[in-house]
């Protein structure tokens, strides 16, 4: 049978179209983007002085499956006779994942001696975290908060140094913005440092409170690319306290204040993996309450935020 070029093209087009059908069907059945994993930053119940293990137990009992720990609390536990292996087993028994650790090594400062000590401190801390199974640590501008004028290109080089160290140790430093710092207090600052580091593992650690405290607009978050944020600290504030007045202790439950919380959470754009929304509070009124009640209340309010965001923006 002879077939014209036109007939051949028609047949080829039909075949190609049929070949696409399974792919389209698969695409339609592919689950939507990942959204959020809810976590408790243990600062939220730190004021009750429970200790490392008890804080983890309260978080688990409240219904959290993810937590952020604090290096000083871990070190106090180890100094009192606790071990990493015992802690790791307890974490597993409680069904928890350690998403991140809050530490304060001075890796970014100009003074060479102080910076070298800070990097050594960070290396030791990351060694403990690697044993514990925690794959992230905060990298705030510790030591570079009171005096302005930090060279951001130098900061980027220093961030790259600790990223390379973290990549070797499988614990990745998350560049943290502090609104009260004279340096790295705006979203633009940390965006520049992370991008200028030129490292594929560079990540930002942002915070509802610090965005307000540092004077950034939440509208700038659309410039933060997908997968640039793995951990995001969630909380709220009232605008009667101006950025220059507000303090860490003034943070309140997510959704209880006047922050554009829904717009902020929506702007995070989780894709390849969920963004960890971690409740970070330092509220003295909450420190006077039952820690389990605080943790449970915090979780329910976070769930309400995510539910609203998913409904409003069809995430």
């Amino acid at each position: 049978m002879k077939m014209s070029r036109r007939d051949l093209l028609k047949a080829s087009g039909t075949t190609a179209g049929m070949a696409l059908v399974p792919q389209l069907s698969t695409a339609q059945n592919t689950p939507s983007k990942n959204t959020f994993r809810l976590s408790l930053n243990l600062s939220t119940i730190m004021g009750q002085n429970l200790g490392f293990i008890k804080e983890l137990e309260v978080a688990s009992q409240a219904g959290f499956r993810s937590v952020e720990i604090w290096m000083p609390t871990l070190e106090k536990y180890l100094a009192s006779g606790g071990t990493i292996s015992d802690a790791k087993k307890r974490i597993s028994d409680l069904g928890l994942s350690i998403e991140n650790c809050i530490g304060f090594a001075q890796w970014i400062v100009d003074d060479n001696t102080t910076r070298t000590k800070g990097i050594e401190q960070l290396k030791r801390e990351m060694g403990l975290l690697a044993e514990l199974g925690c794959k992230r640590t905060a990298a705030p501008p510790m030591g570079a908060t009171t005096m302005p004028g930090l060279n951001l290109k130098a900061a980027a080089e220093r961030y790259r140094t600790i990223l390379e160290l973290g990549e070797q140790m499988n614990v990745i430093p998350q560049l943290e913005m502090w609104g009260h710092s004279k340096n790295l207090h705006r979203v633009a600052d940390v965006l520049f440092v992370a991008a200028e580091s030129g490292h594929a593992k560079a990540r930002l650690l942002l915070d509802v409170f610090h965005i307000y405290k540092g004077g950034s607009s939440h509208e700038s978050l659309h410039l933060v690319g997908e997968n640039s944020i793995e951990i995001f600290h969630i909380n709220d504030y009232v605008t009667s306290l101006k950025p220059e007045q507000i303090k860490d202790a003034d943070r309140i439950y997510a959704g209880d204040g006047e922050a554009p919380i829904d717009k902020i959470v929506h702007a995070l754009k989780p894709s390849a993996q969920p963004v960890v929304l971690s409740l970070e509070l330092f509220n003295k009124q909450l420190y006077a309450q039952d820690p389990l009640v605080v943790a449970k209340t915090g979780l329910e309010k976070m769930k309400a935020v995510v539910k609203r965001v998913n409904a409003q923006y069809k995430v």
Side-chain angles (χ1 to χ4, degrees):
M1 180 187 299
K2 292 184 178 180
M3 182 177 283
S4 70
R5 181 189 298 180
R6 180 179 295 176
D7 291 337
L8 182 60
L9 287 172
K10 284 182 179 179
S12 298
T14 303
T15 304
M18 292 178 65
L20 284 173
V21 171
Q23 296 177 25
L24 290 171
S25 176
T26 301
Q28 290 168 355
N29 293 327
T30 300
S32 59
K33 287 183 178 182
N34 289 308
T35 53
F36 305 102
R37 181 179 300 136
L38 304 186
S39 171
L40 181 65
N41 184 310
L42 295 176
S43 68
T44 303
I45 54 172
M46 186 183 295
Q48 286 88 340
N49 296 312
L50 303 175
F52 184 67
I53 298 298
K54 184 62 177 175
E55 287 178 354
L56 295 171
E57 291 172 347
V58 169
S60 177
Q61 190 176 354
F64 284 97
R65 300 277 68 88
S66 298
V67 294
E68 284 185 284
I69 63 174
W70 280 59
M71 183 54 66
T73 310
L74 174 60
E75 290 179 328
K76 187 175 181 180
Y77 160 78
L78 295 173
S80 66
T83 66
I84 290 291
S85 59
D86 286 347
K88 189 172 183 178
K89 183 179 185 306
R90 189 68 185 123
I91 289 164
S92 177
D93 291 344
L94 291 169
L96 292 174
S97 171
I98 309 299
E99 300 290 352
N100 188 38
C101 179
I102 307 300
F104 303 99
Q106 296 189 51
W107 61 273
I108 198 172
V109 298
D110 287 332
D111 183 79
N112 289 334
T113 301
T114 303
R115 189 171 67 254
T116 298
K117 289 180 180 178
I119 293 173
E120 285 302 313
Q121 175 187 336
L122 188 58
K123 182 178 180 179
R124 177 182 58 79
E125 292 175 354
M126 289 195 292
L128 293 175
L129 296 176
E131 286 186 63
L132 195 62
C134 175
K135 295 186 177 182
R136 304 182 188 93
T137 188
M142 186 69 184
T145 58
T146 59
M147 295 293 293
L150 179 70
N151 184 303
L152 294 187
K153 282 197 172 184
E157 292 171 4
R158 294 162 192 172
Y159 183 42
R160 183 179 180 89
T161 295
I162 64 171
L163 281 169
E164 290 172 346
L165 177 62
E167 193 170 28
Q168 293 170 17
M169 303 183 73
N170 201 28
V171 180
I172 303 302
Q174 314 287 297
L175 182 64
E176 186 170 13
M177 184 184 78
W178 276 357
H180 63 270
S181 173
K182 300 295 184 183
N183 306 287
L184 300 196
H185 64 281
R186 297 179 66 84
V187 172
D189 299 332
V190 289
L191 272 172
F192 177 85
V193 171
E196 191 70 12
S197 74
H199 198 289
K201 297 289 186 179
R203 297 291 185 273
L204 304 183
L205 177 53
L206 303 182
D207 183 304
V208 173
F209 167 83
H210 283 302
I211 291 170
Y212 178 68
K213 176 70 175 175
S216 291
S217 168
H218 71 275
E219 299 288 358
S220 63
L221 291 176
H222 81 279
L223 296 170
V224 180
E226 294 191 18
N227 303 321
S228 295
I229 295 178
E230 296 180 359
I231 308 283
F232 185 85
H233 289 164
I234 190 170
N235 36 61
D236 213 327
Y237 54 81
V238 293
T239 55
S240 58
L241 290 170
K242 302 305 178 186
E244 61 273 15
Q245 300 169 317
I246 200 165
K247 297 179 174 60
D248 280 318
D250 297 318
R251 304 182 192 204
I252 55 179
Y253 287 124
D256 277 7
E258 299 169 77
I261 197 85
D262 293 1
K263 291 181 179 178
I264 289 172
V265 170
H266 174 249
L268 299 179
K269 305 184 295 289
S271 56
Q273 63 183 15
V275 170
V276 177
L277 294 179
S278 190
L279 179 66
E280 185 181 55
L281 302 176
F282 302 89
N283 192 297
K284 292 181 180 179
Q285 291 182 339
L286 298 182
Y287 286 164
Q289 299 176 23
D290 182 332
L292 181 58
V293 171
V294 171
K296 283 184 173 180
T297 303
L299 180 58
E300 289 308 308
K301 290 181 180 291
M302 292 169 74
K303 286 179 177 178
V305 169
V306 171
K307 184 177 180 180
R308 286 199 311 271
V309 169
N310 288 344
Q312 290 176 31
Y313 298 100
K314 309 298 183 187
V315 174

